[in-house]
Amino acid sequence: MPQQTMYEGPNGNNDESQMKTLSKTRRPAPPREQQRLDPTEREAIIAREAVSFFAEHGFEGQTRELARRLGITQPLLYRYFPSKEALIERVYQEVFVGRWNPSWEKIITDRSVPLKARLGRFYREYAQVILTYEWIRLFMFAGLKNLGLNARYLKMLRERAFEKVIEEIRFEYGRPSTGDLPITVLEIEMVWGLHAAIFYLGVRQFIYSMPLETDVDSIIDAKVATFLGGVRTVLPAKTSP
Amino acid sequence: MPQQTMYEGPNGNNDESQMKTLSKTRRPAPPREQQRLDPTEREAIIAREAVSFFAEHGFEGQTRELARRLGITQPLLYRYFPSKEALIERVYQEVFVGRWNPSWEKIITDRSVPLKARLGRFYREYAQVILTYEWIRLFMFAGLKNLGLNARYLKMLRERAFEKVIEEIRFEYGRPSTGDLPITVLEIEMVWGLHAAIFYLGVRQFIYSMPLETDVDSIIDAKVATFLGGVRTVLPAKTSP
DNA sequence: CGGATAATTGATCAAACGATAAATAACGCT
DNA sequence: AGCGTTATTTATCGTTTGATCAATTATCCG
């Protein structure tokens, strides 16, 4: 006797008219989804869907609706994550830690490439990661909830990227290293300004739902150029004659 | 037979052992707050506190806690607002409509004042309004919830401020009016960039909880100067010889 | 095939939450 | 002082929501 469920799955899989091709043909990639999954795979699927789900509904989104989207029952979530909060923590890891690319730091400091090209490439690649529906909204939800997450992330961003950018600009213009002359408030504020411009593109798209009229890369190139020009004019005077 | 309730009141008032000192001493000017208020006054108090409350907790904040902060009971809220959603709507009005200053439009277009001074003054005053805990967070909460509110507000901002700014810049540099030559994507994008820089100051403070190291006005002045310089270099060429 | 393991489900709990209705009491008016 | 109006409270309803536990069944292994 078939089980009765109240809802129609997203693919209408309850329909039994489709052929049963479950017959353990040891195919390497069966296109039909299994009913029982390997725990590590199930966990990954839940985590991936949770990213999408919480990005859409915020962290107040209900576990039952997440389960429905996954095609599983709600208690199953608690087999893989001890609490909703633990699942959210996993989402943070997935997005804010997992999507950071360590090679970005090399791009910035690779002096065999002209500075403007380096910055352009870094900010374009960085923008490609954070200018997504999931990244932008989750970052904002996390900020409004306010655990230290955002400040912590931005502290890392400052150390791994912003300070390196400033060091490279100093070098390019023959100024003292940031090791000798500390980074000024003005310098870091200009980097914030560039960051703000990029980040705000994501806010407009994914939080205000206002489609952009231009492609992101050209905006970034323009901003980087303006930034380089601007930072040069306000740099503190040389200390060495 | 007395009814049994399952919970203990916040003050443990079920305990009858405390003295009854409630004996109606008719003092003329009691410093303690009134128990009954005029409906219009009560409504204003609720609305004001709701602004603060929802800015802090988001729109999922509970009506019971709001009532507790107001020193009233939760059902009383429903005497003044038919639903929680109506109360939230009132919060929108209070903040995003009520705090807009119509004279800003005059500041921008007053050609008896130098352009740079006009823009500096407008953006400083505007920043003073939106760079508050309540404004920034409510705007972000509203965006993430996404009714059309943010897009609608920004459409107004564009019409009443951004387009006027561009018109004044066109005039300053002897370019054709925006009535004759439509605003270019590049121009509006540069205004967005300035707006982003200011808005992001609020995000850093009130969403990421990162205190600013500089005063806002000096940042704004610098941004306005950079903006004016930048927009001049990228303006489309004159169409009249 | 047949039993063991464990992934998954069904049932349900307790607290939280928006909302409603009736009871209470503060204030104004005569 | 007495009375009517109504601001405010008390009690409670119906759902929702995170979480728990025992029952179920798909899958693996010999």
Side-chain angles (χ1 to χ4, degrees):
Chain A
M1 161 163 144
Q3 297 187 343
Q4 296 263 0
T5 57
M6 277 311 189
Y7 78 100
E8 297 285 321
N11 301 331
N13 276 347
N14 288 350
D15 191 348
E16 303 182 14
S17 64
Q18 53 184 331
M19 288 204 313
K20 303 254 178 179
T21 49
L22 297 184
S23 57
K24 265 304 160 45
T25 56
R26 192 148 318 185
R27 233 169 329 182
R32 194 168 177 299
E33 43 184 340
Q34 283 175 262
Q35 308 205 7
R36 278 177 95 140
L37 294 184
D38 184 73
T40 62
E41 188 181 355
R42 175 67 79 192
E43 184 183 316
I45 290 176
I46 292 176
R48 178 161 47 82
E49 190 68 26
V51 166
S52 164
F53 178 76
F54 287 124
E56 187 174 340
H57 296 94
F59 301 122
E60 324 262 357
Q62 307 149 11
T63 55
R64 277 172 177 79
E65 197 188 338
L66 169 59
R68 193 179 49 75
R69 274 173 59 155
L70 280 159
I72 62 176
T73 56
Q74 180 243 11
L76 189 56
L77 296 174
Y78 289 85
R79 179 87 177 184
Y80 294 93
F81 297 93
S83 69
K84 183 183 179 182
E85 203 51 40
L87 180 54
I88 291 173
E89 211 63 41
R90 171 62 175 272
V91 167
Y92 290 151
Q93 286 292 318
E94 206 84 12
V95 175
F96 302 125
V97 179
R99 298 188 185 180
W100 176 268
N101 185 348
S103 74
W104 288 334
E105 307 172 50
K106 297 187 189 73
I107 294 179
I108 298 172
T109 56
D110 176 10
R111 292 184 180 167
S112 70
V113 177
L115 178 59
K116 190 173 178 179
R118 273 183 272 161
L119 295 188
R121 183 165 164 218
F122 163 65
Y123 277 110
R124 276 198 304 270
E125 288 197 18
Y126 185 65
Q128 203 160 9
V129 166
I130 75 166
L131 291 189
T132 63
Y133 184 88
E134 293 173 351
W135 204 102
I136 291 285
R137 291 177 64 95
L138 285 171
F139 198 70
M140 206 51 89
F141 276 123
L144 288 166
K145 200 170 144 194
N146 203 6
L147 314 135
L149 185 135
N150 304 68
R152 219 162 56 232
Y153 175 87
L154 291 170
K155 184 166 176 288
M156 179 213 69
L157 183 66
R158 176 184 168 134
E159 288 167 0
R160 296 196 196 169
F162 291 179
E163 295 184 357
K164 288 185 168 59
V165 167
I166 293 174
E167 174 68 19
E168 295 304 308
I169 292 177
R170 291 268 188 94
F171 178 81
E172 180 84 0
Y173 294 156
R175 314 272 170 175
S177 160
T178 55
D180 300 328
L181 179 67
I183 294 177
T184 68
V185 172
L186 200 57
E187 284 172 316
I188 199 69
E189 209 57 46
M190 296 203 68
V191 183
W192 273 122
L194 176 54
H195 181 75
I198 293 171
F199 186 81
Y200 200 70
L201 295 175
V203 173
R204 281 160 64 190
Q205 281 187 86
F206 305 119
I207 298 182
Y208 304 159
S209 301
M210 300 174 70
L212 302 184
E213 303 173 17
T214 321
D215 78 300
V216 172
D217 282 356
S218 68
I219 294 179
I220 290 179
D221 285 343
K223 294 286 174 196
V224 167
T226 307
F227 166 71
L228 274 173
V231 80
R232 179 175 203 171
T233 65
V234 302
L235 267 179
K238 278 191 189 177
T239 54
S240 59
Chain B
M1 152 165 139
Q3 298 189 341
Q4 296 263 1
T5 58
M6 277 311 188
Y7 78 101
E8 297 283 321
N11 299 332
N13 277 345
N14 289 351
D15 190 349
E16 304 182 13
S17 65
Q18 56 183 338
M19 287 204 314
K20 305 255 179 179
T21 50
L22 300 180
S23 59
K24 271 300 163 43
T25 57
R26 187 153 324 182
R27 236 165 327 183
R32 52 194 296 280
E33 41 187 340
Q34 277 176 266
Q35 309 207 6
R36 280 177 92 140
L37 293 183
D38 185 72
T40 62
E41 188 181 355
R42 176 67 80 191
E43 184 183 315
I45 291 176
I46 291 176
R48 178 161 47 82
E49 190 68 26
V51 167
S52 164
F53 178 75
F54 287 124
E56 187 174 341
H57 295 94
F59 300 123
E60 324 262 355
Q62 308 151 10
T63 56
R64 278 173 175 79
E65 197 188 337
L66 170 59
R68 195 178 49 73
R69 274 172 58 153
L70 280 159
I72 61 176
T73 57
Q74 180 242 11
L76 189 57
L77 296 174
Y78 290 85
R79 179 87 176 185
Y80 294 92
F81 298 92
S83 69
K84 183 183 179 182
E85 203 50 40
L87 180 54
I88 292 173
E89 210 64 41
R90 171 62 175 272
V91 167
Y92 290 150
Q93 287 291 318
E94 207 84 12
V95 175
F96 302 125
V97 179
R99 298 188 186 180
W100 175 267
N101 185 348
S103 74
W104 287 335
E105 308 172 50
K106 298 187 189 74
I107 294 179
I108 298 172
T109 56
D110 177 11
R111 293 183 180 167
S112 71
V113 177
L115 178 59
K116 189 173 177 178
R118 273 183 272 161
L119 294 188
R121 183 166 164 217
F122 163 64
Y123 277 110
R124 276 198 304 271
E125 289 197 18
Y126 184 65
Q128 203 159 10
V129 165
I130 75 165
L131 291 188
T132 63
Y133 184 88
E134 292 173 351
W135 204 102
I136 291 285
R137 291 177 64 95
L138 286 171
F139 198 70
M140 206 51 89
F141 276 123
L144 289 166
K145 200 170 142 195
N146 203 9
L147 315 135
L149 185 136
N150 304 68
R152 220 163 55 231
Y153 176 86
L154 291 170
K155 184 166 176 288
M156 179 214 68
L157 183 66
R158 176 185 169 134
E159 289 167 1
R160 297 196 195 170
F162 291 179
E163 295 184 357
K164 288 186 168 58
V165 167
I166 293 174
E167 174 68 18
E168 295 305 308
I169 292 177
R170 291 268 189 96
F171 178 81
E172 181 84 359
Y173 294 156
R175 314 272 169 176
S177 160
T178 55
D180 300 329
L181 179 69
I183 294 177
T184 68
V185 172
L186 199 57
E187 283 172 316
I188 199 69
E189 209 57 46
M190 296 203 68
V191 183
W192 273 121
L194 177 54
H195 181 75
I198 293 171
F199 186 81
Y200 200 70
L201 295 175
V203 173
R204 282 161 64 190
Q205 281 186 85
F206 306 119
I207 298 183
Y208 304 158
S209 302
M210 301 173 71
L212 302 184
E213 304 173 16
T214 322
D215 77 300
V216 172
D217 282 356
S218 68
I219 294 179
I220 290 179
D221 285 343
K223 293 286 174 196
V224 168
T226 307
F227 166 70
L228 275 173
V231 80
R232 180 175 203 171
T233 65
V234 302
L235 267 180
K238 278 190 189 179
T239 54
S240 59

